[in-house]
Every structure is written in structure tokens, then in C-alpha cells.
Amino acid sequence: MPTGAEEIKAKIAELHNQTQKIRTLRKRLDKGFFDIGVVLAEIQQQELYQAKGYGSFEAFLEREIDLGKQTSLRLIKIAHVFQREVALDYGMDRLFLALAALEGETMPKPAPSVPSAPGSKPPLPLKPPMRIVG
């Protein structure tokens, strides 16, 4: 048996366990996003992805994690920057915007929930009715 084979085997098993954990958390992304970031950070720190032959963590994310590389990297940042309870209170989308603001990036604004008719003007903000005294 080659030198280090047991260590590689253990790392592959640990990587498998961690990716299974991510798949389970992914089913409830609204509640599991923070924990996914923690698990991904552990995979990165322990360099478990190398056991499967990936030359970089980013290559592992692109091929193995169905969240996408950018989302995965943002989830890791969320786990490093925010406390778990606060993160869950604010939610993933708001934290992505907060991270973008901290990094000086501009993120696209979410599309309006009600599509407008062609040629129509955007709705005006609501004002209290004018009171005519007379």
C-alpha cells in the first residue's frame, strides 16, 4: 500500500461526509445557508478537496457543489463575518447585499415583483391624501 494511502482514504471519506451534509442543508437553504458556509470553510481549511484530485478549492466548488462558485464563496464569508443567530435573522439575500456593501461592490437590484406593462411608468410612492379646507 502506498505511503499516505490511509490518510487519503480518510480525507475522501470526510469530504464525502461533508458534501452529504451540504446536500442535506441545501434542501432548506433559507435555514441552512450559514451552516453550509461553515462546512465549506472546513473543507477549504483542511484541503479535503485535494484528496479527490482537485488542484484548487474553486475547481472543487465548480464541479461538486451545486450552489455555484460565487455563492459558495459568499456563504463562507458570511460564516466568517457574521454570528449565526444574526445571519439567520437577516437571511441570505440581505447578507449578500451587506457583504457587497462592505466590499464596495454593487449588486444588481432585485427585479420588481409585479411586471409593468410596456410603456407604463413605474408606480409613484404613496403619499397621504391632501386635505382641502374650505
Side-chain angles (χ1 to χ4, degrees):
M1 203 180 285
T3 309
E6 287 300 316
E7 183 181 335
I8 293 170
K9 191 176 172 183
K11 281 189 171 190
I12 289 174
E14 178 64 17
L15 182 61
H16 176 75
N17 290 340
Q18 298 287 46
T19 53
Q20 283 301 109
K21 211 183 287 186
I22 290 170
R23 284 187 191 100
T24 301
L25 291 166
R26 175 91 167 80
K27 293 175 184 173
R28 289 290 315 261
L29 190 59
D30 60 325
K31 299 289 181 201
F33 71 90
F34 186 87
D35 294 323
I36 290 173
V38 171
V39 172
L40 287 171
E42 289 172 5
I43 291 171
Q44 185 179 33
Q45 288 168 341
Q46 297 172 20
E47 298 181 333
L48 297 176
Y49 55 90
Q50 291 178 345
K52 282 189 82 176
Y54 290 104
S56 70
F57 181 64
E58 287 79 10
F60 163 76
L61 292 175
E62 289 174 356
R63 303 280 292 195
E64 299 280 336
I65 305 300
D66 66 347
L67 291 168
K69 182 176 82 168
Q70 291 303 320
T71 299
S72 297
L73 293 173
R74 286 184 183 126
L75 291 176
I76 293 169
K77 283 183 185 177
I78 285 173
H80 284 300
V81 173
F82 299 97
Q83 295 177 349
R84 186 177 195 281
E85 295 76 24
V86 173
L88 293 176
D89 282 348
Y90 280 93
M92 184 174 73
D93 293 335
R94 290 172 74 189
L95 292 178
F96 282 171
L97 291 172
L99 283 177
L102 288 171
E103 294 169 354
E105 297 174 10
T106 56
M107 296 211 31
K109 292 182 180 176
S113 58
V114 179
S116 58
S120 68
K121 295 180 181 177
L124 297 174
L126 295 177
K127 290 185 187 178
M130 298 274 300
R131 201 169 211 179
I132 300 173
V133 180

